[in-house]
Amino acid sequence: MVLGICLMSGPVNLFAQNDEIGEEVTPKGVIFNKEFSIGGGLHTNGFNVNVQFARIPKYYLTRFWQIEFAEIKHPKEYKQSYDRVPVWTVNSPKAFIFGKQNNFYVFKVGYGEKRYFTDKGKKKGLALGINYLGGVSLGLLKPYYLDLVYPVNRPEQFELRSEPYSDENALYFLNPNVIYGASGIGMGWDGIKPLPGGFAKVGLVFDWGAFDEMVKALEVGVMLDVYYKKVPLMVTQQNYPFFVNLYVNAHLGKRY
């Protein structure tokens, strides 16, 4: 009688048995539909911060929009200062970047994908994937100001003038002996000029929560920024219309 009941009940559900004895069964499928994260980090010649808004059509695929703000510096620029006290002031000169013409800040909007190669069968573990995106960018050239020492009519008298580079003051701007230092960060905002372009990124993603509610990821890769003309960052160095940089970013956020 017992045997007949077993035969009538049909095939045994092995997955149900595994559940009864406490084994975890994680089916492959889409658990979350959307993702939001905030990220930031460093690249070879500057920094960046970004925000991502994403959809998750498949458990191994995430499609996202990214908004980013970054600074790009010339690879040859560096800060310097003098360890002397000039006769015309009681204060030591400030640090400055010799030959720098503009700061360069960039707003970017791009679309991309993340694809995961590894499958985390459990909730805990590391997932490896690839990240790629591209889009448009708006560069902002902000003039770089220096405090320059100009003589006045009276002997042994000087005055400081905050000025950006120009053809008229080139002999002063490019003369280290009359540079007191960089002007304050507030200088130059009224002289910003736009420079449009585009960008592309590709990198590896190390995600400690690829299939979890919390986003905890590290991204390393290479990025390319291109503009329609040379970006005038330095007076004393060659300038280019493109930049290739290595980058590392951290991302934190939530899936829902």
Side-chain angles (χ1 to χ4, degrees), residues 93-251:
K94 298 177 291 184
F96 66 97
I97 301 172
F98 180 75
K100 186 176 180 68
Q101 185 177 359
N102 289 291
N103 293 104
F104 192 46
Y105 304 107
V106 186
F107 286 97
K108 304 178 183 180
V109 178
Y111 183 77
E113 291 184 344
K114 286 185 287 188
R115 290 180 177 268
Y116 294 100
F117 303 134
T118 57
D119 177 22
K120 293 194 312 177
K122 307 289 185 182
K123 288 187 176 181
K124 296 182 180 179
L126 175 67
L128 175 65
I130 187 172
N131 180 89
Y132 47 88
L133 72 152
V136 296
S137 59
L138 177 62
L140 302 175
L141 288 164
K142 173 182 171 292
Y144 182 72
Y145 276 67
L146 290 178
D147 290 339
L148 304 176
V149 181
Y150 281 86
V152 294
N153 294 330
R154 297 183 300 276
E156 301 296 329
Q157 295 294 315
F158 305 88
E159 67 176 359
L160 290 179
R161 301 179 189 173
S162 295
E163 297 179 346
Y165 173 79
S166 66
D167 293 337
E168 290 74 22
N169 72 353
L171 293 179
Y172 276 84
F173 199 90
L174 300 177
N175 182 357
N177 294 319
V178 299
I179 298 175
Y180 176 64
S183 302
I185 192 172
M187 302 296 296
W189 293 105
D190 56 345
I192 286 180
K193 296 180 180 179
L195 184 61
F199 76 98
K201 279 185 177 183
V202 61
L204 291 175
V205 179
F206 303 90
D207 199 324
W208 283 265
F211 310 116
D212 299 339
E213 183 178 3
M214 297 300 297
V215 178
K216 304 179 293 291
L218 183 69
E219 178 187 345
V220 294
V222 61
M223 64 182 187
L224 171 67
D225 292 87
V226 181
Y227 299 90
Y228 76 92
K229 68 175 185 178
K230 292 181 179 180
V231 182
L233 296 181
M234 301 285 288
V235 181
T236 57
Q237 301 291 341
Q238 179 69 36
N239 294 304
Y240 301 94
F242 61 88
F243 303 90
V244 180
N245 288 301
L246 301 176
Y247 71 90
V248 55
N249 277 180
H251 297 273

